[in-house]
């Protein structure tokens, strides 16, 4: 029933959803189709999955605006004639009703035509919605009035006042005009909820300056950039794609993606993120990731996915909405019968007008929009602060977290370890220990391994090529170098391989007390030495942990490093519960054990070895500076890799859930009060009836109020 897009754009993040773009419904994200239209379930106007970056009104908005303004004078005129009572009878005589019919018909049949089409479609698809009610209400009022004008003799005395059957052309016209007006307001407000992702889409530059093989330079469209191209980025220009600095040094403003206000210093070898701003020096860079592979494109996709996901809190509203329209129609029919049989004269006229009011005031859209609008705004705001949510469930769950498990390397620390020292076993030289360890570590992407390789190269050691290589699940690596079996890792790896490492235990403990991570080298099953790497704690870590503890979270550290090293770091950061030398399975078990105790657990990590625990945790949080596997396993990604992002994400979660509850409460309360009042329950006590005109106005503003309240999240302090 719903066609899906198959990559019709160029894959670049600035591609605009024009012809061939994928559209979806904000209330039913499972509905997808190519090109604009209306939702087959709720009749709501579909929105592009990725908002348009170009200016210009939504086609639906243009159409509704034209219908509204062209017929507004007719609505105003027919309303003035109807409200004047008998004032126009002397002037027009029996032609007054015919004039009202002539004025109201274009409003109802032309301006209201899209509403009737959607109402008929809702019935045909057995998916009653707001348009079913509006179509029934305005159609009943208009048809009743046409019959009363053309064939008044068909009506019995109970429909007559002063010998005449009342007509309600002005009610039908005003309801259509007010509904159009409400749709205009809602469409404009809904467009604002995509402002954040639209801003992200607009960040990417349109061109890049490529350096040709002959040394010449040319400006080319971004779509023509390929991996391996050398690009020049001049001061004041945006970095075109993701890559690395080849020449030059500068300060690059990455705040639009990471939320970090201070520009980051860049020199040869440093990473560059596409769409960030080069502020000072000129750079020559190597293009590495383009199109959908860039950080910006992945952020846009993640935000779009989160915005179109459904929050668990919406389930109750979905259940209610499923029976809502049928219930309202039943109430309207009951209202008609009750007034007709028991109401004052003209009883059936009262019955018709109150039944129409019931149909018009009910608004299932307010219920349907209650959480999607909050999720859209929150996802966009989070992206602007470097916090990416994968889905609405993560936004809703994060506020409930009471325990935070953190990895050490790359999470609490810089993730850029430096070589600290080494010790050799008898019959081994320090240089040979370093050479063998660096040779096998060439195949590892772990920061500790890279620090060892960097030190060996700094000393000019000639490294061997590993004949075989195996990563040992977060505890080290194994392989073959120079025909010998080599293993580098922590004591867990040594125990697993049956290596007697304890002769070096005292040297290892001394280094660990200094906060260094210690790895043992085993060659041919015998311990050959140990190597120590230290990783400085991030400057922001202490502040972030203090903030999280103050908010009531229990902090737990779980790391593959030795327990002594882990405790040394824990003491510096005030972390009491520390688990060292844990394997990926141990981290996974730790999460499960805490969950079994009734805790709601979030796990923060950045490595492949963290992926199982990230997936098991109630909320997995990946450092954006870490591996793709970690980010794939997590529900939240911190683009900058700063723990302060966890506190910001939690504040946003609290504000978003509070906003969703406000929206749901408003939607339920509105309908719970509005429908009975429209049915006339106040009439026996206060003589009050709700005009269909007022009902239409209330209905139009109910959805607008929900969207407007959701937009308040843009100003939330996180």
């Amino acid at each position: 029933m719903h066609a899906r897009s198959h990559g019709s754009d160029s894959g670049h993040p600035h591609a605009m959803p024009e012809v061939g773009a994928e559209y979806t419904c904000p209330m039913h994200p499972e509905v997808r189709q190519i090109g604009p239209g209306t939702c087959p379930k709720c009749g709501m106007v579909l929105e592009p999955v990725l908002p348009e970056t170009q200016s210009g009104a939504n086609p639906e908005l243009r159409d509704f605006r034209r219908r509204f303004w062209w017929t507004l004078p007719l609505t105003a005129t027919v309303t003035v004639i109807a409200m004047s009572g008998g004032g126009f009878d002397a002037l027009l005589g029996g032609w007054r009703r015919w004039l009202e019919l002539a004025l109201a018909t274009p409003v109802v049949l032309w301006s209201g035509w899209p509403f009737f089409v959607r109402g008929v479609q809702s019935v045909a698809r057995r998916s009653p919605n707001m348009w079913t009610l509006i179509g029934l209400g305005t159609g009943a009022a208009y048809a009743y009035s046409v019959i009363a004008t053309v064939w008044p003799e068909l009506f019995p005395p109970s429909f007559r006042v002063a010998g005449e059957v009342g007509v309600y052309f002005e009610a039908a016209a005003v309801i259509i005009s007010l509904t159009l007006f409400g749709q205009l307001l809602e469409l404009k407000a809904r467009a604002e909820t995509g402002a954040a992702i639209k801003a992200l889409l607009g960040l990417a530059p349109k061109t890049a300056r490529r350096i040709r093989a002959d040394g010449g330079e040319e400006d080319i469209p971004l779509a023509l950039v390929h991996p391996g191209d050398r690009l020049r980025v001049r001061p004041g220009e945006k970095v075109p794609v993701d890559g690395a600095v080849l020449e030059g040094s500068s300060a690059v403003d990455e705040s639009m993606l990471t939320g970090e206000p201070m520009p980051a210093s860049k020199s040869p070898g440093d990473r560059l993120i596409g769409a960030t701003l080069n502020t000072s020096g000129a750079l020559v860079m190597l293009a590495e990731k383009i199109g959908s592979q860039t950080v910006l494109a992945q952020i846009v996709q993640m935000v779009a996915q989160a915005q179109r996901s459904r929050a668990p809190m919406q389930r109750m509203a979905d259940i209610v909405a499923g029976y809502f329209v049928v219930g309202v129609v039943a109430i309207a029919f009951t209202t008609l019968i009750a007034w007709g049989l028991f109401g004052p004269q003209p009883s059936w006229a009262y019955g018709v007008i109150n039944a129409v009011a019931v149909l018009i005031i009910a608004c299932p859209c307010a219920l349907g929009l209650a959480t999607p609008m909050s999720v859209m705004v929150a996802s966009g705001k989070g992206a602007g602060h470097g916090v990416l949510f994968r889905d609405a469930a993560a936004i809703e769950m994060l506020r409930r977290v009471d325990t935070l498990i953190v990895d050490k390397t790359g999470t609490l620390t810089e993730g850029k370890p430096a070589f600290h020292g080494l010790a050799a076993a008898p019959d081994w030289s320090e240089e040979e220990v370093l050479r063998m360890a660096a040779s096998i570590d060439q195949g590892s992407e772990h920061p500790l391994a890279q620090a060892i390789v960097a030190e060996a190269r700094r000393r000019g050691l000639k490294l061997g090529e590993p004949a075989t290589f195996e990563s040992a699940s977060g505890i080290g690596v194994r392989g073959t170098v120079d025909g010998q079996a080599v293993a580098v890792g922590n004591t867990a790896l040594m125990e697993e391989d049956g290596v007697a490492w304890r002769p070096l235990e005292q040297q290892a403990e001394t280094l660990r007390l200094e906060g260094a991570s210690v790895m043992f080298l085993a060659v041919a099953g015998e311990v050959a030495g140990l190597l120590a790497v230290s990783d400085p704690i991030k400057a922001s870590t202490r502040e972030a942990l203090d903030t999280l503890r103050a908010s009531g979270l229990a902090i737990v550290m779980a790391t593959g490093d030795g327990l002594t090293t882990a405790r040394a770091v824990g003491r510096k950061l005030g972390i009491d519960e520390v688990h060292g030398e844990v394997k990926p399975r141990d981290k996974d078990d730790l999460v499960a054990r805490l969950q079994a105790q009734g805790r709601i657990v979030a796990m923060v990590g950045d490595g492949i070895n963290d992926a199982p625990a990230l997936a098991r945790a109630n909320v997995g949080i990946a450092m954006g500076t870490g591996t793709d596997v970690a980010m794939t396993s997590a529900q939240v990604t911190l683009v900058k890799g700063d723990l302060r992002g966890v506190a910001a994400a939690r504040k946003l979660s609290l504000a978003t859930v509070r906003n969703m509850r406000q929206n749901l409460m408003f939607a339920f309360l509105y309908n719970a009060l509005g429908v009975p009042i429209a049915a006339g329950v106040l009439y026996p006590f206060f003589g009050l009836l709700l005009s269909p005109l007022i009902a239409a106005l209330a209905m139009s503003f109910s959805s607008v109020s929900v969207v407007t309240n959701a937009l308040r999240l843009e100003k939330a302090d996180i």
Side-chain angles (χ1 to χ4, degrees), residues 283-343:
L283 298 172
V284 174
M285 67 172 291
L286 178 70
E288 293 179 343
K289 294 182 179 180
I290 64 171
S292 60
Q293 298 176 331
T294 65
V295 169
L296 176 62
Q298 291 172 7
I299 288 174
V300 168
Q301 290 297 332
M302 188 174 286
V303 175
Q305 176 182 332
Q307 289 188 339
R308 302 304 176 187
S309 62
R310 297 182 73 71
M313 193 179 291
Q314 183 67 21
R315 290 173 188 155
M316 178 176 60
D318 289 343
I319 293 171
V320 173
Y323 299 98
F324 185 87
V325 175
V326 175
V328 169
V329 172
I331 293 171
F333 182 75
T334 303
T335 299
L336 172 65
I337 300 301
W339 275 93
L341 295 178
F342 308 110

Side-chain angles (χ1 to χ4, degrees), residues 184-226:
L184 294 178
L185 293 178
E186 183 184 325
L187 286 169
K188 291 183 71 174
R190 276 166 52 192
E192 292 181 34
T193 62
I197 194 171
K198 189 180 292 186
L200 286 172
L201 284 164
L203 286 177
K206 303 298 183 288
T207 62
R209 190 164 188 80
R210 182 166 60 190
I211 302 174
R212 296 193 301 265
D214 61 6
E217 299 181 5
E218 59 182 343
D219 288 326
I220 60 172
L222 197 63
L224 298 182
V225 174
H226 298 287

Side-chain angles (χ1 to χ4, degrees), residues 254-273:
E254 299 178 339
S255 59
M256 65 283 292
L257 296 180
T258 66
E260 174 58 54
M262 295 299 295
S265 298
K266 300 292 182 181
S267 55
D270 287 338
R271 315 305 304 170
L272 291 172
I273 303 175

Side-chain angles (χ1 to χ4, degrees), residues 587-604:
K587 290 185 181 181
D588 190 33
D589 291 342
L590 175 61
V591 173
R593 189 163 64 249
L594 291 171
Q595 288 173 331
Q597 295 171 9
R599 299 203 204 178
I600 307 298
V601 180
M603 167 74 192
V604 187

